[in-house]
Amino acid sequence: MKYFAYDPETGFEIFETSEEASSHAQEAIDMYREEASEGWPESVESVCWGEVKQRSQESTFNAGDEDDLDKEYSDYHLEDIE
């Protein structure tokens, strides 16, 4: 999953291809168009799509403190999408 589309009505969604993401964003604009006879809603300006470059990834580790050797901790960092 490398592509996303965002629409204030439906939120953030992930897609496998750029075509799917672009199509989803265009469909959202088309839905707003149905309301445009009374003026375009401001939220249409937030519709977008793009490529996801990184995502959060959990990593676990031991504290390193002799008293807490058995305790695992977790943290998050950004990792490239393959």
Side-chain angles (χ1 to χ4, degrees):
M1 293 186 218
K2 290 187 172 186
Y3 300 91
F4 73 91
Y6 175 76
D7 165 24
E9 293 290 320
T10 60
F12 182 85
E13 294 190 41
I14 299 288
F15 299 91
E16 289 290 329
T17 68
S18 61
E19 291 81 12
E20 291 172 320
S22 174
S23 177
H24 183 83
Q26 185 59 57
E27 289 172 10
I29 291 172
D30 293 344
M31 294 287 285
Y32 286 111
R33 185 176 291 113
E34 292 176 11
E35 302 171 20
S37 63
E38 299 174 17
W40 284 88
E42 287 183 33
S43 54
V44 71
E45 293 179 9
S46 296
V47 174
C48 61
W49 76 274
E51 185 174 3
V52 178
K53 297 288 188 177
Q54 295 184 320
R55 66 184 175 105
S56 62
Q57 182 67 34
E58 182 179 19
S59 57
T60 58
F61 57 93
N62 289 333
D65 185 342
E66 291 180 17
D67 295 332
D68 293 330
L69 287 178
D70 293 334
K71 289 186 180 178
E72 277 194 352
Y73 296 89
S74 67
D75 196 5
Y76 283 84
H77 63 278
L78 290 173
E79 187 173 280
D80 290 345
I81 299 289
E82 295 179 13

